[in-house]
Amino acid sequence: LTVMPMAANAEPSNDAAELIKKFTDGKEAAKGKITLDLPEIAENGNTVPLALTVESPMTSDNYVKEVLFVADGNPNAGVATLMFTPMSGKAEASIRIRLAQTQNVIAIAKMSDGSLFTERKTVKVTIGGCGG
Amino acid sequence: MADKPRIKLPKEAKKGEIIQIKTLVSHLMESGQRKDAQGKPIPRKIVNKFACEFNGKPVFSCALEPAISANPYIQFDARIDEEGTFKFAWTDDDGSVVAAEEKIALKG
């Protein structure tokens, strides 16, 4: 089992805001284009399936470049940064993540024209990826 | 990372077809947050990068953090315009790299 210290509450207490600011260069991200598939309730925070779809034609002049994932209630907010190319064909990916407690998973997509989109989802964690 | 990574993709595809690729590599993904029986922190040791290229061109890659589950599973897509070879690489915190290759042919 993975043991992570539990944060005192579910408020963003980690570096989520800083990571997002660094990724977006302080620009505002619009809502939309992103679909996040995450369980509403995760019984085991050690392995939570996360599937991403971003609406995009994925052509050489219009594609999704990067997607940042952060978790605002983990000891460290960083989860992963995915880098797509037109050769990806689709801006879709699945990974499995650790969540220490109930919190929000936030995705921000950066398109080839520099525009930004965001989506978030709350996951209730019954047994944290923290052994507790 | 002693075990061979597991990779699942079709053997052949039609020109222009988008295929799905599933990968899994055995790795503890030690988060750096755990403590041993003596209460000493166990140092972080994770796979921090995964990359896939096709015929030398980047298809998909990702930077990974300790919040990725043990035995990282990564699924993504690739558009096939020609036959060729996929190269996959997982980079460990200690600098070691696990590499794998898979070929794909064009149908018909």
Side-chain angles (χ1 to χ4, degrees):
Chain A
L1 275 180
T2 312
V3 180
M4 290 189 193
M6 297 291 271
N9 54 48
E11 291 300 310
S13 51
N14 60 17
D15 52 342
E18 289 98 277
L19 286 181
I20 292 171
K21 207 177 153 197
K22 209 173 142 196
F23 184 78
T24 61
D25 217 3
K27 291 192 197 83
E28 201 67 32
K31 197 130 169 62
K33 295 216 189 234
I34 302 175
T35 308
L36 286 183
D37 196 356
L38 272 158
E40 264 177 56
I41 299 171
E43 283 185 8
N44 179 2
N46 273 314
T47 172
V48 182
L50 162 61
L52 164 87
T53 307
V54 189
E55 261 176 60
S56 167
M58 295 305 277
T59 56
S60 54
D61 52 4
N62 185 0
Y63 63 98
V64 180
K65 263 181 119 160
E66 276 180 85
V67 178
L68 171 77
F69 284 114
V70 297
D72 68 5
N74 271 355
N76 298 301
V79 174
T81 311
L82 313 186
M83 280 147 280
F84 295 95
T85 71
M87 281 178 70
S88 307
K90 286 184 197 171
E92 287 189 17
S94 294
I95 54 176
R96 288 174 190 153
I97 66 171
R98 288 170 171 153
L99 296 174
Q101 58 175 340
T102 296
Q103 58 184 295
N104 298 306
V105 175
I106 304 158
I108 300 179
K110 197 182 277 176
M111 307 302 192
S112 53
D113 67 358
S115 60
L116 297 159
F117 292 90
T118 186
E119 180 64 287
R120 66 175 57 207
K121 229 170 175 184
T122 307
V123 182
K124 285 199 180 97
V125 177
T126 325
I127 303 166
C130 59
Chain B
M1 287 195 289
D3 294 352
K4 227 176 137 234
R6 276 187 273 163
I7 300 164
K8 216 170 155 187
L9 77 168
K11 291 249 178 297
E12 49 177 27
K14 287 194 197 105
K15 191 176 159 66
E17 192 180 336
I18 295 168
I19 61 154
Q20 194 173 70
I21 301 175
K22 294 176 177 175
T23 72
L24 190 136
V25 69
S26 296
H27 196 287
L28 200 55
M29 295 294 277
E30 189 60 60
S31 69
Q33 303 284 341
R34 297 202 303 161
K35 292 192 166 98
D36 66 15
Q38 279 76 45
K40 276 190 292 185
I42 304 170
R44 171 185 139 152
K45 192 179 185 297
I46 67 165
V47 172
N48 59 49
K49 194 175 169 236
F50 166 77
C52 167
E53 57 179 51
F54 182 67
N55 291 346
K57 284 170 277 187
V59 174
F60 172 85
S61 64
C62 50
L64 305 174
E65 302 290 339
I68 298 296
S69 306
N71 306 324
Y73 167 80
I74 304 168
Q75 182 202 306
F76 55 97
D77 292 282
R79 202 188 59 232
I80 305 299
D81 290 323
E82 57 184 356
E83 62 174 24
T85 308
F86 280 101
K87 280 191 180 166
F88 306 89
W90 291 261
T91 308
D92 192 290
D93 273 347
D94 67 12
S96 63
V97 176
V98 168
E101 280 188 20
E102 290 288 338
K103 286 192 185 341
I104 190 160
L106 281 184
K107 229 182 246 179

